[in-house]
Amino acid sequence: MKKYPVETSLSYPKKGAMGKTGSWRVFKPILDKKKCVKCLRCWIFCPEGSIHREKDDSVSIDYDFCKGCGVCANECNVKAIIMEREEAKKK
Amino acid sequence: MALKDFPVDECLLQGNASCPGCPATVGLRMVLKALGKKTFLVVPACCTAVIESLYPHTSFDVPVMNIAFEAAAAGASGVEAALRQQGRSDITVAAWAGDGGTYDIGLQALSGALERGTNFIYICYNNQIYSNTGIQRSGATPYAAWTTTTVSGKTEFRKEMGEIVLAHHIPYVAQTCISYPEDLYGKIQKAKSIKGPKYIEILAPCPPGWRFSMDKTIEMGRLAVDTGAWSLWECENDVMTFNGKSKLLLEKKVARKPIEDWIKYQGRFSHLFKPERDEERLKAIEEHTDHLWERYRKCYGKI
């Protein structure tokens, strides 16, 4: 990345600037690909941009950064996404 | 424009500091998709200043300038002037401010920039409170809503910012909502193609501020439009058009849902229902909304 010689506090873009926000999650969205009709509503409404859109308009969920808000499950018209409680993390 | 035609590129990176279910990031993603990479954002103090995350990293993949609360439009004027001097007409300058920085604190800077005819887009994402500083009342907070500074409910009605901006007679003014991505995207694209000052306001239902479940963000926006608490319209060169559901409401083709359908899901209005229904204030909200739409019909409906 190009760094600029500016005498001020500059921030540079980074994916995961606050770390892996997936650890905030209490409920986890589970996608049923068989039910999905590729309407892309979950993709456009995901506040985090954690639903990735493939070339054929199918979607996949990025669990590293998904905060588990459940907007995708609520907006899915065919109920292809359901929210499940996250299992307790093993230490 | 259909959802399938939206660009895949993301200018707001994952792993930012927004709350789960944040409406501002939904709006930002759509706005940056419509504006593209050649955009310069000016952000005053608001939630988005937090969403940028911590120094030395930022979650924005476009240049962003942070500026004082009242100075979003003034800062954008400066950036636009500098880019014009450098002959960079390919870059869109956009100010992205919250409702506090637009309705209250940034009003004079905004009015000044609109009057000077600065070539920029001013986008206000309206979550009806100062949510970044801890849910204080703003000029956009509706009547009877709880905030940390109006504990028993706000005693005044909100002001109509869109119509204040209309009085400047700028080329393009629009109101939209994050629940209608096609509408929002179209309005941003149209604003981008017009020269001169443009103003777009986006309703952004805030889960922690409005006290509703975080998975209902989009649904709350939709209900606000259905119940007439919010309206979708655009005004291009002083020609006013209502869009989508709001057009049907204006022309009385569908009946307006009672405002109670929207407020009963929000904890900030729970004192109107518990321990007993506050009929007086519920009636006042309903009557105010009726009055608002009657006025819209008189001013902007076909005569």
Side-chain angles (χ1 to χ4, degrees):
Chain A
M1 184 176 293
K2 190 182 167 191
K3 296 269 178 184
Y4 296 92
V6 184
E7 295 281 324
T8 182
S9 48
L10 265 184
S11 295
Y12 292 90
K14 188 196 175 205
K15 189 172 165 181
M18 292 300 281
K20 296 220 163 157
T21 47
S23 62
W24 302 9
R25 203 166 51 229
V26 178
F27 288 92
K28 185 180 187 178
I30 311 282
L31 170 71
D32 184 351
K33 287 216 172 191
K34 282 177 199 154
K35 279 190 189 171
C36 178
V37 291
K38 300 181 183 178
C39 67
L40 295 175
R41 282 171 66 82
C42 53
W43 169 73
I44 197 70
F45 286 132
C46 176
E48 191 57 25
S50 282
I51 295 189
H52 294 313
R53 175 183 167 183
E54 312 298 339
K55 278 198 175 120
D56 64 341
D57 284 348
S58 64
V59 291
S60 59
I61 301 168
D62 185 344
Y63 291 114
D64 280 352
F65 296 106
C66 166
K67 290 170 183 164
C69 64
V71 164
C72 50
N74 200 53
E75 288 306 308
C76 184
N77 285 336
V78 292
K79 300 268 172 279
I81 302 177
I82 49 162
M83 300 301 286
E84 269 180 18
R85 185 170 271 277
E86 196 84 34
E87 283 169 39
K89 285 189 182 75
K90 284 170 195 165
K91 278 184 182 173
Chain B
M1 189 160 177
L3 285 185
K4 288 197 192 299
D5 303 325
F6 278 44
V8 185
D9 289 349
E10 300 283 349
C11 294
L12 182 69
L13 303 175
Q14 291 173 276
N16 55 50
S18 66
C19 308
C22 177
T25 47
V26 179
L28 264 174
R29 281 184 64 224
M30 293 179 199
V31 165
L32 291 175
K33 274 179 199 298
L35 291 177
K37 281 235 168 181
K38 289 205 167 176
T39 305
F40 196 111
L41 275 187
V42 180
V43 177
C46 62
C47 277
T48 307
V50 177
I51 293 168
E52 280 165 30
S53 312
L54 298 177
Y55 178 80
H57 304 303
T58 171
S59 55
F60 281 90
D61 211 1
V62 292
V64 177
M65 183 171 78
N66 286 108
I67 200 158
F69 218 144
E70 67 280 12
S77 293
V79 171
E80 192 263 343
L83 289 172
R84 195 173 59 229
Q85 283 300 316
Q86 292 174 8
R88 298 297 300 268
S89 58
D90 55 332
I91 297 173
T92 314
V93 180
W96 171 271
D99 60 294
T102 307
Y103 280 63
D104 306 337
I105 301 174
L107 185 57
Q108 67 85 16
L110 170 63
S111 181
L114 299 180
E115 187 264 332
R116 285 191 300 271
T118 305
N119 180 23
F120 81 130
I121 310 175
Y122 191 99
I123 305 165
C124 163
Y125 68 104
N126 176 4
N127 50 21
Q128 306 193 326
I129 30 159
Y130 287 86
S131 51
N132 175 30
T133 48
I135 319 174
Q136 286 88 7
R137 135 206 217 285
S138 81
T141 309
Y143 177 72
W146 165 91
T147 65
T148 48
T149 46
T150 55
V151 180
S152 55
K154 194 186 170 190
T155 47
E156 300 84 18
F157 289 96
R158 72 175 173 89
K159 60 181 172 186
E160 288 284 310
M161 187 65 200
E163 287 177 297
I164 296 174
V165 177
L166 275 184
H168 292 78
H169 301 289
I170 58 172
Y172 191 70
V173 188
Q175 257 187 208
T176 179
C177 173
I178 53 151
S179 310
Y180 298 87
E182 292 92 346
D183 187 76
L184 196 157
Y185 192 90
K187 281 171 180 171
I188 298 281
Q189 273 204 325
K190 193 182 259 185
K192 193 186 170 188
S193 68
I194 297 170
K195 206 170 155 45
K198 285 86 61 177
Y199 175 88
I200 294 174
E201 189 167 340
I202 304 170
L203 183 74
C206 169
W210 296 17
R211 295 277 187 264
F212 62 84
S213 166
M214 60 190 172
D215 59 337
K216 299 274 189 293
T217 305
I218 309 298
E219 207 176 313
M220 279 301 140
R222 220 163 22 232
L223 277 172
V225 174
D226 285 356
T227 56
W230 190 249
S231 44
L232 313 172
W233 51 258
E234 59 183 339
C235 182
E236 202 180 339
N237 296 320
D238 285 340
V239 181
M240 184 81 158
T241 359
F242 275 64
N243 313 111
K245 185 80 185 234
S246 296
K247 189 175 186 220
L248 300 176
L249 285 181
L250 188 83
E251 292 168 353
K252 286 192 170 173
K253 283 186 179 154
V254 287
R256 187 172 68 76
K257 278 189 189 170
I259 205 93
E260 213 183 304
D261 284 4
W262 180 55
I263 65 177
K264 69 183 173 192
Y265 296 109
Q266 299 171 38
R268 62 174 176 164
F269 289 108
S270 62
H271 56 275
L272 298 181
F273 300 98
K274 283 186 292 190
E276 54 194 31
R277 278 172 66 88
D278 190 339
E279 293 294 351
E280 202 180 314
R281 279 198 278 183
L282 283 170
K283 205 175 152 217
I285 300 173
E286 199 67 60
E287 274 175 4
H288 179 77
T289 317
D290 271 335
H291 175 74
L292 183 76
W293 279 91
E294 272 314 312
R295 194 172 56 75
Y296 281 160
R297 279 178 202 117
K298 252 183 229 161
C299 297
Y300 311 119
K302 289 219 171 68
I303 308 153

